[in-house]
Amino acid sequence: MPSSVPNKRIRKSPAARRAEIVAAAASVALTEGLECITLRRVAEELDVRPGLISHYFPVADDLVAEAYGTAAASELEELLPADRSGATPTRHLARLLARTTGEAYDDISRLWLNARHLSRYRPALRARVGVQEAAWRDRMEALIRDGVAQGEFRTADPLVTAIQILVVLDGLGMLVNSAATSEDPPAVRRLPVTTAERELGLAPGTLGAMPDDSAPTADSGGVGGPRGAAR
Amino acid sequence: MPSSVPNKRIRKSPAARRAEIVAAAASVALTEGLECITLRRVAEELDVRPGLISHYFPVADDLVAEAYGTAAASELEELLPADRSGATPTRHLARLLARTTGEAYDDISRLWLNARHLSRYRPALRARVGVQEAAWRDRMEALIRDGVAQGEFRTADPLVTAIQILVVLDGLGMLVNSAATSEDPPAVRRLPVTTAERELGLAPGTLGAMPDDSAPTADSGGVGGPRGAAR
DNA sequence: AATGCTATTGAGTGTGCGACCAATAAGCAA
DNA sequence: TTGCTTATTGGTCGCACACTCAATAGCATT
């Protein structure tokens, strides 16, 4: 072990140390859960004493909220970048839906599930969840508005459509800790894509590859219901 | 204080006591959350010593799982009774959707949210969640199959449709601890109804009153939000 | 009324948590 | 180099938790 026993002190600027602490806490939140953000756990992560964490976050709940906030915000930036100059709205939406379906997204699903539950007991966290919730809705709504403006999407109410897609994503995300997730019928995993394509007036397959249709199954063909203007 | 200090012992049959404990725990789960099911809390509820709870549930996690299981099961019976002889599938579905939208359903939403998160850490609970999940899906699928057989519903895949409706309900339920829930546009609250009507080939309004478009009366029918295109 | 089984208690163990605070030493400024 | 500010430490306190176990007492049987 290179870190000798007496463990020399390293003194950092408050800003740097604070950022370090939040980053460590966010990492713990993503991998182990928000309730694992304890003074002792975060201190161990940074190889400092628990008292130091208390010094920067006199109320531990504030650290939890902060850690969640940064984790969720950075994930939003990754999945729905504010600067969308790179590609068309359709491509951005397809990319988002592709990533949220992958297994790598499970940690994020767990984080949201975790935060939404824990915010029942922790006001500071609840406030942060509200902020992030609004941010995701805003980004999604802006994306859809953009798509509508460019003639790619067609919907009467971009906000409601945005929320509708997010609700489906959340609903599936709720299953992240259930064993059954992977054995669900493919149509279930494709629910966000199907929902988005339907609500935005897109042709099936536009936002994600259709499941292999070659076999004559009864189900895939029908759009699922009477077609019409979305809402 | 009527309960005298020495507190006379009351000796009950193991079956009765066990049921009593589970019931008390389930009540705590619904009102305060699954993590509030502690030996002390449940013991206090029944006015016995914590050790007694340990006697019936040597591993506390098992009590949590059991409490959740009974609460969820009894709620399923309430919302989607196994015996559906009383009314048509359409009416049963409408009734379910009406109740799940009401505020009285918030405790159930919280319980599911709670259980789905906590099952990340507690295997016994995770197993129970899996069982209840399957039970809800089965009931819903059976209801839809029934409706299809009677010509009321039209869908290619009853199971997928059932899951789809449940996913939307879960997705909305995830918001139960957020302050924003009540200020969502009415169209969002009606998402489960809209989804069900669309996926089952029903005319809009069949499963729930449409938001009153004709006249802004103060009649009790007002679903609770200002009418008009929100935002 | 006496007996035996066992449901129930009371007391104690060890763990992990947030919070608090005086003492210490790192690193900047004089 | 010296001094001073303050980031950091080490230790402590009180609390809540699950779990263990010998002692006690309710109650059905005799």
Side-chain angles (χ1 to χ4, degrees), chain A residues 152-174:
Chain A
E152 297 182 8
F153 302 157
R154 190 159 34 91
T155 178
D157 190 331
L159 175 60
V160 168
T161 302
I163 295 178
Q164 185 167 359
I165 296 171
L166 289 173
V167 162
V168 172
L169 283 174
D170 279 347
L172 283 182
M174 247 198 161

PDB file of all heavy atoms in Angstrom, chain A residues 152-174:
ATOM      1  N   GLU A 152     -40.404  17.864 -39.382  1.00  0.00           N
ATOM      2  CA  GLU A 152     -40.123  16.434 -39.177  1.00  0.00           C
ATOM      3  C   GLU A 152     -41.168  15.778 -38.289  1.00  0.00           C
ATOM      4  O   GLU A 152     -41.523  14.624 -38.483  1.00  0.00           O
ATOM      5  CB  GLU A 152     -38.732  16.257 -38.559  1.00  0.00           C
ATOM      6  CG  GLU A 152     -37.599  16.741 -39.448  1.00  0.00           C
ATOM      7  CD  GLU A 152     -36.233  16.490 -38.799  1.00  0.00           C
ATOM      8  OE1 GLU A 152     -36.177  15.813 -37.765  1.00  0.00           O
ATOM      9  OE2 GLU A 152     -35.236  16.993 -39.353  1.00  0.00           O
ATOM     10  N   PHE A 153     -41.599  16.525 -37.279  1.00  0.00           N
ATOM     11  CA  PHE A 153     -42.587  15.991 -36.338  1.00  0.00           C
ATOM     12  C   PHE A 153     -43.934  16.656 -36.562  1.00  0.00           C
ATOM     13  O   PHE A 153     -44.030  17.740 -37.141  1.00  0.00           O
ATOM     14  CB  PHE A 153     -42.155  16.242 -34.882  1.00  0.00           C
ATOM     15  CG  PHE A 153     -40.824  15.649 -34.520  1.00  0.00           C
ATOM     16  CD1 PHE A 153     -40.090  16.164 -33.456  1.00  0.00           C
ATOM     17  CD2 PHE A 153     -40.288  14.578 -35.236  1.00  0.00           C
ATOM     18  CE1 PHE A 153     -38.863  15.624 -33.109  1.00  0.00           C
ATOM     19  CE2 PHE A 153     -39.059  14.027 -34.896  1.00  0.00           C
ATOM     20  CZ  PHE A 153     -38.342  14.557 -33.832  1.00  0.00           C
ATOM     21  N   ARG A 154     -44.959  15.982 -36.071  1.00  0.00           N
ATOM     22  CA  ARG A 154     -46.290  16.561 -36.152  1.00  0.00           C
ATOM     23  C   ARG A 154     -47.027  16.259 -34.844  1.00  0.00           C
ATOM     24  O   ARG A 154     -47.314  15.101 -34.531  1.00  0.00           O
ATOM     25  CB  ARG A 154     -47.044  15.958 -37.340  1.00  0.00           C
ATOM     26  CG  ARG A 154     -48.345  16.626 -37.696  1.00  0.00           C
ATOM     27  CD  ARG A 154     -48.725  16.301 -39.161  1.00  0.00           C
ATOM     28  NE  ARG A 154     -48.292  14.959 -39.535  1.00  0.00           N
ATOM     29  CZ  ARG A 154     -49.042  13.854 -39.410  1.00  0.00           C
ATOM     30  NH1 ARG A 154     -50.256  13.953 -38.922  1.00  0.00           N
ATOM     31  NH2 ARG A 154     -48.575  12.665 -39.769  1.00  0.00           N
ATOM     32  N   THR A 155     -47.286  17.274 -34.060  1.00  0.00           N
ATOM     33  CA  THR A 155     -48.024  17.090 -32.807  1.00  0.00           C
ATOM     34  C   THR A 155     -48.713  18.397 -32.429  1.00  0.00           C
ATOM     35  O   THR A 155     -48.212  19.486 -32.734  1.00  0.00           O
ATOM     36  CB  THR A 155     -47.105  16.656 -31.650  1.00  0.00           C
ATOM     37  OG1 THR A 155     -47.878  16.532 -30.459  1.00  0.00           O
ATOM     38  CG2 THR A 155     -46.008  17.679 -31.426  1.00  0.00           C
ATOM     39  N   ALA A 156     -49.845  18.246 -31.753  1.00  0.00           N
ATOM     40  CA  ALA A 156     -50.617  19.434 -31.396  1.00  0.00           C
ATOM     41  C   ALA A 156     -50.017  20.122 -30.168  1.00  0.00           C
ATOM     42  O   ALA A 156     -50.037  21.343 -30.052  1.00  0.00           O
ATOM     43  CB  ALA A 156     -52.069  19.061 -31.131  1.00  0.00           C
ATOM     44  N   ASP A 157     -49.486  19.352 -29.264  1.00  0.00           N
ATOM     45  CA  ASP A 157     -48.996  19.912 -28.008  1.00  0.00           C
ATOM     46  C   ASP A 157     -47.624  19.332 -27.656  1.00  0.00           C
ATOM     47  O   ASP A 157     -47.529  18.274 -27.030  1.00  0.00           O
ATOM     48  CB  ASP A 157     -50.004  19.615 -26.890  1.00  0.00           C
ATOM     49  CG  ASP A 157     -49.677  20.380 -25.621  1.00  0.00           C
ATOM     50  OD1 ASP A 157     -48.488  20.672 -25.386  1.00  0.00           O
ATOM     51  OD2 ASP A 157     -50.612  20.690 -24.864  1.00  0.00           O
ATOM     52  N   PRO A 158     -46.576  20.017 -28.037  1.00  0.00           N
ATOM     53  CA  PRO A 158     -45.221  19.495 -27.822  1.00  0.00           C
ATOM     54  C   PRO A 158     -44.927  19.138 -26.365  1.00  0.00           C
ATOM     55  O   PRO A 158     -44.288  18.128 -26.095  1.00  0.00           O
ATOM     56  CB  PRO A 158     -44.318  20.633 -28.290  1.00  0.00           C
ATOM     57  CG  PRO A 158     -45.137  21.365 -29.290  1.00  0.00           C
ATOM     58  CD  PRO A 158     -46.552  21.279 -28.802  1.00  0.00           C
ATOM     59  N   LEU A 159     -45.406  19.954 -25.425  1.00  0.00           N
ATOM     60  CA  LEU A 159     -45.115  19.654 -24.024  1.00  0.00           C
ATOM     61  C   LEU A 159     -45.759  18.349 -23.590  1.00  0.00           C
ATOM     62  O   LEU A 159     -45.110  17.487 -22.984  1.00  0.00           O
ATOM     63  CB  LEU A 159     -45.586  20.790 -23.115  1.00  0.00           C
ATOM     64  CG  LEU A 159     -45.417  20.492 -21.621  1.00  0.00           C
ATOM     65  CD1 LEU A 159     -43.956  20.230 -21.267  1.00  0.00           C
ATOM     66  CD2 LEU A 159     -45.983  21.606 -20.760  1.00  0.00           C
ATOM     67  N   VAL A 160     -47.035  18.202 -23.898  1.00  0.00           N
ATOM     68  CA  VAL A 160     -47.720  16.974 -23.502  1.00  0.00           C
ATOM     69  C   VAL A 160     -47.070  15.758 -24.154  1.00  0.00           C
ATOM     70  O   VAL A 160     -46.874  14.717 -23.517  1.00  0.00           O
ATOM     71  CB  VAL A 160     -49.222  17.036 -23.856  1.00  0.00           C
ATOM     72  CG1 VAL A 160     -49.859  15.655 -23.717  1.00  0.00           C
ATOM     73  CG2 VAL A 160     -49.926  18.040 -22.966  1.00  0.00           C
ATOM     74  N   THR A 161     -46.699  15.902 -25.402  1.00  0.00           N
ATOM     75  CA  THR A 161     -46.032  14.791 -26.082  1.00  0.00           C
ATOM     76  C   THR A 161     -44.696  14.479 -25.422  1.00  0.00           C
ATOM     77  O   THR A 161     -44.342  13.311 -25.208  1.00  0.00           O
ATOM     78  CB  THR A 161     -45.809  15.130 -27.570  1.00  0.00           C
ATOM     79  OG1 THR A 161     -47.062  15.420 -28.176  1.00  0.00           O
ATOM     80  CG2 THR A 161     -45.145  13.977 -28.293  1.00  0.00           C
ATOM     81  N   ALA A 162     -43.970  15.528 -25.072  1.00  0.00           N
ATOM     82  CA  ALA A 162     -42.687  15.325 -24.381  1.00  0.00           C
ATOM     83  C   ALA A 162     -42.910  14.565 -23.082  1.00  0.00           C
ATOM     84  O   ALA A 162     -42.239  13.566 -22.804  1.00  0.00           O
ATOM     85  CB  ALA A 162     -42.028  16.675 -24.100  1.00  0.00           C
ATOM     86  N   ILE A 163     -43.876  15.029 -22.301  1.00  0.00           N
ATOM     87  CA  ILE A 163     -44.155  14.369 -21.028  1.00  0.00           C
ATOM     88  C   ILE A 163     -44.582  12.927 -21.260  1.00  0.00           C
ATOM     89  O   ILE A 163     -44.169  12.014 -20.548  1.00  0.00           O
ATOM     90  CB  ILE A 163     -45.240  15.138 -20.250  1.00  0.00           C
ATOM     91  CG1 ILE A 163     -44.710  16.516 -19.858  1.00  0.00           C
ATOM     92  CG2 ILE A 163     -45.688  14.361 -19.036  1.00  0.00           C
ATOM     93  CD1 ILE A 163     -45.714  17.381 -19.116  1.00  0.00           C
ATOM     94  N   GLN A 164     -45.383  12.731 -22.281  1.00  0.00           N
ATOM     95  CA  GLN A 164     -45.879  11.387 -22.570  1.00  0.00           C
ATOM     96  C   GLN A 164     -44.725  10.419 -22.822  1.00  0.00           C
ATOM     97  O   GLN A 164     -44.709   9.297 -22.310  1.00  0.00           O
ATOM     98  CB  GLN A 164     -46.801  11.448 -23.780  1.00  0.00           C
ATOM     99  CG  GLN A 164     -47.470  10.125 -24.089  1.00  0.00           C
ATOM    100  CD  GLN A 164     -48.598  10.294 -25.085  1.00  0.00           C
ATOM    101  OE1 GLN A 164     -48.883  11.399 -25.530  1.00  0.00           O
ATOM    102  NE2 GLN A 164     -49.239   9.196 -25.443  1.00  0.00           N
ATOM    103  N   ILE A 165     -43.754  10.851 -23.591  1.00  0.00           N
ATOM    104  CA  ILE A 165     -42.591   9.998 -23.868  1.00  0.00           C
ATOM    105  C   ILE A 165     -41.802   9.761 -22.587  1.00  0.00           C
ATOM    106  O   ILE A 165     -41.389   8.642 -22.286  1.00  0.00           O
ATOM    107  CB  ILE A 165     -41.698  10.642 -24.950  1.00  0.00           C
ATOM    108  CG1 ILE A 165     -42.464  10.727 -26.271  1.00  0.00           C
ATOM    109  CG2 ILE A 165     -40.410   9.858 -25.126  1.00  0.00           C
ATOM    110  CD1 ILE A 165     -41.749  11.539 -27.342  1.00  0.00           C
ATOM    111  N   LEU A 166     -41.630  10.811 -21.814  1.00  0.00           N
ATOM    112  CA  LEU A 166     -40.871  10.670 -20.561  1.00  0.00           C
ATOM    113  C   LEU A 166     -41.588   9.746 -19.577  1.00  0.00           C
ATOM    114  O   LEU A 166     -40.939   8.983 -18.852  1.00  0.00           O
ATOM    115  CB  LEU A 166     -40.635  12.052 -19.939  1.00  0.00           C
ATOM    116  CG  LEU A 166     -39.640  12.935 -20.697  1.00  0.00           C
ATOM    117  CD1 LEU A 166     -39.598  14.340 -20.105  1.00  0.00           C
ATOM    118  CD2 LEU A 166     -38.250  12.306 -20.692  1.00  0.00           C
ATOM    119  N   VAL A 167     -42.917   9.829 -19.572  1.00  0.00           N
ATOM    120  CA  VAL A 167     -43.681   8.964 -18.668  1.00  0.00           C
ATOM    121  C   VAL A 167     -43.472   7.500 -19.038  1.00  0.00           C
ATOM    122  O   VAL A 167     -43.285   6.643 -18.162  1.00  0.00           O
ATOM    123  CB  VAL A 167     -45.183   9.327 -18.708  1.00  0.00           C
ATOM    124  CG1 VAL A 167     -46.030   8.197 -18.149  1.00  0.00           C
ATOM    125  CG2 VAL A 167     -45.427  10.608 -17.924  1.00  0.00           C
ATOM    126  N   VAL A 168     -43.462   7.220 -20.311  1.00  0.00           N
ATOM    127  CA  VAL A 168     -43.230   5.835 -20.737  1.00  0.00           C
ATOM    128  C   VAL A 168     -41.813   5.394 -20.358  1.00  0.00           C
ATOM    129  O   VAL A 168     -41.599   4.282 -19.865  1.00  0.00           O
ATOM    130  CB  VAL A 168     -43.461   5.676 -22.253  1.00  0.00           C
ATOM    131  CG1 VAL A 168     -43.037   4.289 -22.718  1.00  0.00           C
ATOM    132  CG2 VAL A 168     -44.919   5.919 -22.583  1.00  0.00           C
ATOM    133  N   LEU A 169     -40.862   6.278 -20.552  1.00  0.00           N
ATOM    134  CA  LEU A 169     -39.486   5.950 -20.157  1.00  0.00           C
ATOM    135  C   LEU A 169     -39.404   5.683 -18.656  1.00  0.00           C
ATOM    136  O   LEU A 169     -38.762   4.725 -18.209  1.00  0.00           O
ATOM    137  CB  LEU A 169     -38.537   7.089 -20.546  1.00  0.00           C
ATOM    138  CG  LEU A 169     -38.147   7.172 -22.023  1.00  0.00           C
ATOM    139  CD1 LEU A 169     -37.332   8.426 -22.293  1.00  0.00           C
ATOM    140  CD2 LEU A 169     -37.370   5.929 -22.440  1.00  0.00           C
ATOM    141  N   ASP A 170     -40.056   6.532 -17.890  1.00  0.00           N
ATOM    142  CA  ASP A 170     -40.068   6.336 -16.440  1.00  0.00           C
ATOM    143  C   ASP A 170     -40.745   5.023 -16.066  1.00  0.00           C
ATOM    144  O   ASP A 170     -40.267   4.292 -15.199  1.00  0.00           O
ATOM    145  CB  ASP A 170     -40.815   7.497 -15.766  1.00  0.00           C
ATOM    146  CG  ASP A 170     -39.921   8.718 -15.609  1.00  0.00           C
ATOM    147  OD1 ASP A 170     -38.701   8.590 -15.789  1.00  0.00           O
ATOM    148  OD2 ASP A 170     -40.442   9.804 -15.318  1.00  0.00           O
ATOM    149  N   GLY A 171     -41.854   4.772 -16.700  1.00  0.00           N
ATOM    150  CA  GLY A 171     -42.607   3.560 -16.388  1.00  0.00           C
ATOM    151  C   GLY A 171     -41.776   2.314 -16.626  1.00  0.00           C
ATOM    152  O   GLY A 171     -41.786   1.379 -15.822  1.00  0.00           O
ATOM    153  N   LEU A 172     -41.028   2.299 -17.714  1.00  0.00           N
ATOM    154  CA  LEU A 172     -40.151   1.159 -17.973  1.00  0.00           C
ATOM    155  C   LEU A 172     -38.976   1.164 -17.001  1.00  0.00           C
ATOM    156  O   LEU A 172     -38.533   0.115 -16.542  1.00  0.00           O
ATOM    157  CB  LEU A 172     -39.636   1.201 -19.408  1.00  0.00           C
ATOM    158  CG  LEU A 172     -40.629   0.749 -20.476  1.00  0.00           C
ATOM    159  CD1 LEU A 172     -39.989   0.795 -21.858  1.00  0.00           C
ATOM    160  CD2 LEU A 172     -41.124  -0.659 -20.175  1.00  0.00           C
ATOM    161  N   GLY A 173     -38.486   2.354 -16.690  1.00  0.00           N
ATOM    162  CA  GLY A 173     -37.358   2.458 -15.770  1.00  0.00           C
ATOM    163  C   GLY A 173     -37.696   1.924 -14.396  1.00  0.00           C
ATOM    164  O   GLY A 173     -36.824   1.454 -13.667  1.00  0.00           O
ATOM    165  N   MET A 174     -38.949   1.975 -14.037  1.00  0.00           N
ATOM    166  CA  MET A 174     -39.369   1.472 -12.733  1.00  0.00           C
ATOM    167  C   MET A 174     -39.089  -0.014 -12.594  1.00  0.00           C
ATOM    168  O   MET A 174     -39.001  -0.537 -11.493  1.00  0.00           O
ATOM    169  CB  MET A 174     -40.868   1.726 -12.551  1.00  0.00           C
ATOM    170  CG  MET A 174     -41.187   2.727 -11.474  1.00  0.00           C
ATOM    171  SD  MET A 174     -42.902   2.572 -10.987  1.00  0.00           S
ATOM    172  CE  MET A 174     -42.885   3.380  -9.397  1.00  0.00           C
TER     173      MET A 174
END
